[in-house]
Amino acid sequence: MPPGENLDPIPDSFILQPPVFHPVVPYVTTIFGGLHAGRMVMLQGVIPLHAHRFQVDFQCGCSLSPQPDVAVHFSPRFHTTKPHAICNTLHGGRWQRETRWPGLALKRGASFLILFLFENEEVKVSVNGRHFLHYRYRLPLSRVDTLGIFGDILVKAVGFLNINPFVEGSREYPVGYPFLLFSPRLQVPCSRALPRGLWPGQVIIVRGLVLQEPKDFTLSLRDEASHVPVTLKASFTDRTLAWVSQWGRKKLISAPFLFYPKRFFEVLLLCQEGGLKLALNGQGLGATSLDQKTLEGVRELRISGSVHLYCVHH
C-alpha cells in the first residue's frame, strides 16, 4: 500500500466470522453482518442413533419473548416411515404453509455436512455435497441476523463463508470442505504435494485463524528443484500483503489488511492461463503473472507462519 493512501472502511462482507467447534445444542449465535446473497453457512456433525428431529433456524433477532420471526426453518424428521425435511417461515408468531422435501439424505448414526447457500431469491441446501432442496424467501434476507440450532443433533463445527468470487473456478453448486480442529495434517508448517502441477480452473483453498502474537504468514509454491516461483506473504510489522517472486521482487497488493490476531481468514488462489488470481475472504484482489510452464512445474504448496489451519484443499 503506497504511503499516505487512505483505504475505504472494511465492509462487513470482508470480515468472516470464525468457525465454532463443538457447540452445545440448543445453540444460538449472532451472524456477524447478517445474511446477504453470496453468503454460505456450513454445518458439520453427526445424527444420533435415536434422533427424532432437529432444526436449523435463520432468525430475525434472538429474543425469547416475543418469539422472533424465522425467515428460514430447516427441520429434518427421522421418526416417520419416510424421513423427510420441512422448510417453513415464522412471521408474527404464526407458521406459514410448510414445504415438505422427501428423499432425506441424512441418516441416523451417520456424519454429515450441510451447506446453506443464500442467493437473491432463495436458499439452496446441499447434504454431503449433493443438492437437496431450494426454498424461496418469504421474509427479506436482510432481516436475518441470528442462527439457531435445536433438537437431536451433535454439531462438530459451524462455518460462515462467502461464495467463491471467481466465475472461472466455480461450479454450479459450491462444495463444502470440512473444517478440522487440531488435525495433524494441518500442523504448521504445512505441505501439500501437487504431483500434476497447477492447471487452469484449479482452486487452492486455505482457511485458518491468525495466532494471538503473529510474526509472519507465507503461502509458497515450489517446483521439483525447490525453487519458489511465487510466494504470498503477509507482513505483520507493516501490515502489508504482497506477492514475492523467486528473485525477491515484491509486488504489494492494495487491499485492507485482514490478518489481525485471532481473526479468521480464507485465501483462494485460482489458477488461470497466465497466472494466479487471489481472493481473500471472498473478495477478489487481482492477479499475479506466471507462465503456463511454470504453473505446470509446481509440485508443492507450503504454508508457514503464525496461523492455525482449519482447511487446506487443492
Side-chain angles (χ1 to χ4, degrees):
M1 180 175 64
E5 180 181 355
N6 294 320
L7 295 177
D8 294 333
I10 301 175
D12 289 340
S13 59
F14 221 133
I15 301 176
L16 288 183
Q17 187 168 348
V20 179
F21 293 95
H22 304 290
V24 176
V25 176
Y27 176 71
V28 178
T29 187
T30 298
I31 301 173
F32 295 177
L35 287 182
H36 55 78
R39 291 296 296 272
M40 298 188 294
V41 175
M42 190 166 67
L43 186 65
Q44 301 165 221
V46 176
I47 307 297
L49 285 172
H50 303 290
H52 279 224
R53 66 170 68 180
F54 72 87
Q55 66 191 64
V56 180
D57 290 342
F58 293 93
Q59 305 175 181
C60 309
C62 59
S63 64
L64 296 177
S65 181
Q67 185 177 2
D69 288 346
V70 178
V72 177
H73 167 81
F74 172 78
S75 179
R77 312 286 174 89
F78 304 95
H79 60 285
T80 64
T81 55
K82 295 182 178 180
H84 58 277
I86 295 293
C87 286
N88 207 342
T89 296
L90 180 69
H91 182 46
R94 294 186 177 183
W95 288 106
Q96 300 186 10
R97 178 177 51 83
E98 70 179 25
T99 303
R100 179 173 299 202
W101 298 86
L104 184 63
L106 298 167
K107 306 294 182 183
R108 287 171 168 167
S111 60
F112 65 84
L113 191 153
I114 302 174
L115 184 67
F116 298 88
L117 168 61
F118 295 91
E119 298 187 334
N120 288 316
E121 303 293 336
E122 64 182 8
V123 58
K124 292 181 177 178
V125 182
S126 70
V127 177
N128 298 332
R130 289 181 172 271
H131 175 71
F132 177 48
L133 63 83
H134 57 274
Y135 180 71
R136 192 172 182 85
Y137 306 133
R138 300 173 185 175
L139 294 176
L141 185 63
S142 59
R143 291 189 56 202
V144 177
D145 59 9
T146 302
L147 168 67
I149 304 173
F150 312 91
D152 304 323
I153 182 175
L154 299 175
V155 180
K156 291 184 177 180
V158 182
F160 305 88
L161 301 166
N162 287 327
I163 195 170
N164 179 353
F166 302 134
V167 176
E168 307 97 316
S170 66
R171 305 184 182 185
E172 182 179 352
Y173 206 86
V175 176
Y177 300 107
F179 289 99
L180 300 176
L181 186 63
F182 304 126
S183 169
R185 296 193 69 242
L186 293 177
Q187 289 184 353
V188 179
C190 177
S191 177
R192 289 288 187 273
L194 300 170
R196 296 190 297 157
L198 295 176
W199 62 92
Q202 184 178 5
V203 179
I204 294 172
I205 302 173
V206 178
R207 297 173 181 150
L209 194 75
V210 179
L211 299 185
Q212 181 64 49
E213 298 181 357
K215 296 180 180 179
D216 55 22
F217 168 69
T218 60
L219 187 157
S220 59
L221 299 174
R222 300 166 181 257
D223 61 19
E224 288 181 327
S226 294
H227 297 146
V228 185
V230 68
T231 296
L232 180 67
K233 183 177 180 63
S235 171
F236 295 98
T237 54
D238 56 8
R239 295 191 299 177
T240 58
L241 187 66
W243 296 107
V244 182
S245 72
Q246 60 181 329
W247 300 284
R249 189 163 55 246
K250 183 182 291 188
K251 177 185 176 184
L252 292 179
I253 299 169
S254 181
F257 188 76
L258 300 183
F259 292 90
Y260 286 98
K262 309 302 291 183
R263 182 166 287 181
F264 176 69
F265 68 88
E266 178 190 64
V267 175
L268 299 182
L269 290 178
L270 168 68
C271 179
Q272 59 177 0
E273 291 187 8
L276 297 168
K277 278 188 174 181
L278 168 68
L280 183 60
N281 292 4
Q283 309 298 315
L285 297 180
T288 187
S289 298
L290 288 171
D291 61 74
Q292 190 59 35
K293 183 178 180 181
T294 299
L295 292 171
E296 292 174 356
V298 170
R299 290 295 179 266
E300 181 189 4
L301 165 68
R302 185 175 297 183
I303 304 159
S304 61
S306 308
V307 296
H308 182 92
L309 296 176
Y310 294 143
C311 174
V312 176
H313 179 83
H314 57 83

